[in-house]
Amino acid sequence: MPPIAHLECSRCKATVSAETPQTLCPQCKGALYVRYDLSTLRGIAARDDMIRQAATSPWPGMWRYSPVLPKAEPVTLGEGWTPMLRSRRRARVFLKEEGANPTGTFKARGLALAVTMARHYGLRKLAVPSAGNAAGALAAYAAAAGIEAHIFMPRDVPFANYVEAVAYGANVTLVNGLISDCGRIVAERKEKEGWFDVSTLKEPFRVEGKKTMGYELVEQLGWEYPDAVFYPTGGGVGLIGMWKAFAELEELGWVRPGRKPRMIAVQSSGCAPVARAFEQGANVSQMWDNAQTFAAGLRVPKPYGDSIMLEILRDSGGVAIALPDDRILDSLKDWARNEGIFLSPEGAAATASYDHLIESGFLKAEDRVVLFNTGAGLKYTDVTAEAMCLERPASGA
Ligand SMILES: Cc1ncc(COP(=O)(O)O)c(C=O)c1O
Ligand SMILES: [Zn+2]
C-alpha cells in the first residue's frame, strides 16, 4: 500500500496533510480527494504484481487493490470483488452484483475504508446521517473495529436497516424527516459529543473505498472500459469514486487505451435533484421537495457532491435519468422472473433506465454496459412487498 502523499481539494485544489483526520477543505469546504505518488506502480508489470500479491494476501475482496489504497491495516468483513453477471437475455449487458457485499450493499466498501482510517487515526466515536444502508455498513464495521457508531436515519427506512444497526450495537436515532434532516442533527451535535462525521463526501475515505468498484469493473472486463456505467445515484459517492478510479487507471497505464465510459446517473422521479439539474444545464442541484420513492437510497434531496457529479456526467458524455417508481418496480419484477435476480429498488432503477435509453436510441444494443445492483433485494422485503401490494395470506387462506 502506498503512503498518502496528501489530500487535495476537489474545488480549489488546495493541498491538505493526511497526517491527522480531515473533513472538508479548510479553505472552501470542498470535498477532499486522496492523492498518492503512483509513479512506481506504472505499467503492466506492476499490475501483474498486484494480481499475484492478491492471490496470497490475508485481506480478501477489494483489498486486492491495496497498492492504490492508503497504508493502514484493513478493518475487513470480506467486502468487494463482487460478481460481474452477464444478462441471460442481453449479451452486452453486465450486472455488477453489489448485493454480495457484507451488509448486502456497496456501502460496505466506503465504510470499510472509512472505519479502517478512523481506527488508524485513533478515532473513537463516528456519526453518520444515512438513507439506511450506510448506517448498516457503518454499524457493522464500527462493531468489528470496536468503535462507537452514532446513526441518524429516517424513521421509515427499510426495516432491515433499523434491525441490523441495532443488532450491531450502534446508537440508533430514527428521525421524522429525510437524510438532510439527519445531516443537520449530526452537524449540530458532533462538536459537543466528540463525534467524527463520516457523512457522504465530508471525509475523504468513503470515496476512496468506493473507487474500488471502478478498478474492479475494468479488471473484470479484461482491463477494458465498458461503453456505459449505470449508477443509482443518491449522494453520488460511487459515481465520483469510479471516475477517480478511471483517472488513476489512465495514469497507471493499467487500462487498455479507449474512451472512458459514459456515466449514467439513475434516480427516481420521486427524488431527482441531479436529473433535474442536468436537464436544466445547471452546475448545482436545488433541494427536492417532498422526496418520495421506494428506492430508499435515492432519497437524497440535495446531494453535497452535486456539482462534481454534474461535471462527470457532462465530461463523460453521459446523462442523468429519472423514472417513476412503477417503471422501476416493473423492471425489478422482470429481472426476478427472467434472470433469477432479486434487485434492490435502486438496482432496478438502473435496469429500467437501461431499457429506457435503448428505446430512446441514446444507447445501442451492441454497447457494452455495466448496470450496478447496489444492494440485495432481500434488504427491502417490506418496501418492495408494499410496492407490489403483497401481503402475507392469513392462515387457512
Ligand atoms: C442500495 C443503494 N443504492 C444507491 C445508493 C446511492 O448511493 P450514493 O449515495 O453513493 O449515490 C444508496 C444510498 O443509500 C443505496 O443504499
Ligand atoms: Zn478548497
Side-chain angles (χ1 to χ4, degrees):
M1 298 189 197
I4 297 171
H6 57 263
L7 306 175
E8 184 187 74
C9 176
S10 55
R11 281 187 204 153
C12 75
K13 310 292 172 211
T15 296
V16 181
S17 164
E19 287 304 308
T20 53
Q22 300 292 341
T23 53
L24 294 166
C25 170
Q27 277 155 44
C28 77
K29 301 267 176 279
L32 296 173
Y33 285 132
V34 181
R35 300 293 184 207
Y36 315 89
D37 175 4
L38 297 177
S39 58
T40 58
L41 291 168
R42 273 199 203 121
I44 302 301
R47 190 182 82 185
D48 290 345
D49 276 351
M50 183 273 291
I51 295 169
R52 247 190 319 274
Q53 283 162 18
T56 55
S57 158
W59 315 116
M62 72 177 203
W63 302 97
R64 71 191 280 100
Y65 303 110
S66 288
V68 291
L69 292 172
K71 194 172 160 63
E73 186 180 329
V75 177
T76 178
L77 297 168
E79 54 290 335
W81 201 247
T82 54
M84 178 71 93
L85 303 174
R86 196 185 278 266
S87 162
R88 286 165 196 282
R89 296 172 292 172
R90 303 172 186 96
R92 304 287 285 170
V93 172
F94 292 82
L95 188 88
K96 186 75 172 135
E97 181 47 288
E98 291 291 298
N101 278 302
T103 74
T105 78
F106 72 145
K107 295 281 174 186
R109 297 175 187 262
L111 272 312
L113 193 59
V115 172
T116 291
M117 295 310 290
R119 185 172 73 176
H120 172 81
Y121 289 125
L123 299 171
R124 304 297 315 152
K125 297 178 183 185
L126 305 180
V128 81
S130 169
N133 287 319
L138 174 63
Y141 288 94
I147 290 175
E148 274 180 32
H150 297 267
I151 282 165
F152 294 81
M153 54 189 172
R155 183 167 297 283
D156 59 353
V157 281
F159 194 50
N161 294 136
Y162 177 64
V163 176
E164 65 180 333
V166 172
Y168 288 128
N171 299 285
V172 181
T173 306
L174 295 178
V175 174
N176 294 321
L178 294 171
I179 186 172
S180 39
D181 303 296
C182 301
R184 231 179 346 262
I185 297 172
V186 171
E188 279 163 14
R189 290 183 53 190
K190 64 184 174 190
E191 206 171 297
K192 179 162 166 279
E193 303 280 357
W195 298 336
F196 185 80
D197 183 359
V198 291
S199 294
T200 298
L201 291 170
K202 295 195 180 158
E203 58 73 54
F205 297 108
R206 284 176 64 186
V207 167
E208 201 58 14
K210 289 251 190 102
K211 92 176 176 187
T212 59
M213 296 191 297
Y215 278 86
E216 234 172 84
L217 76 86
V218 165
E219 181 173 358
Q220 289 175 326
L221 295 179
W223 296 105
E224 270 182 23
Y225 289 131
D227 295 300
V229 173
F230 284 69
Y231 180 74
T233 303
V237 179
L239 186 86
I240 295 167
M242 282 191 276
W243 198 247
K244 180 176 192 281
F246 300 150
E248 289 179 4
L249 282 163
E250 304 254 318
E251 187 183 341
L252 291 163
W254 288 8
V255 59
R256 207 160 292 171
R259 191 178 185 281
K260 283 190 204 159
R262 298 167 105 171
M263 301 302 283
I264 317 288
V266 170
Q267 303 203 295
S268 157
S269 329
C271 181
V274 177
R276 182 172 63 186
F278 184 85
E279 206 168 288
Q280 293 171 344
N283 294 329
V284 289
S285 66
Q286 301 300 322
M287 177 71 98
W288 189 275
D289 292 328
N290 304 318
Q292 208 166 18
T293 168
F294 83 130
L298 308 186
R299 268 195 323 174
V300 180
K302 171 78 174 90
Y304 195 75
D306 51 3
S307 54
I308 308 177
M309 283 191 268
L310 288 159
E311 194 177 319
I312 293 171
L313 297 179
R314 295 198 176 104
D315 284 356
S316 72
V319 68
I321 305 279
L323 293 177
D325 278 7
D326 56 354
R327 287 278 302 274
I328 296 174
L329 180 63
D330 283 348
S331 193
L332 187 152
K333 290 196 245 177
D334 174 50
W335 275 71
R337 287 171 193 178
N338 296 304
E339 304 267 358
I341 295 172
F342 189 17
L343 298 167
S344 60
E346 295 86 345
T351 54
S353 296
Y354 173 75
D355 293 344
H356 175 77
L357 289 185
I358 289 287
E359 279 159 29
S360 74
F362 185 89
L363 289 176
K364 307 265 172 292
E366 313 82 81
D367 288 328
R368 193 160 66 147
V369 303
V370 175
L371 315 181
F372 268 85
N373 182 33
T374 41
L378 286 174
K379 283 197 92 173
Y380 295 81
T381 52
D382 52 343
V383 286
T384 301
E386 194 183 328
M388 289 172 73
C389 303
L390 189 64
E391 280 183 23
R392 195 192 302 252
S395 73

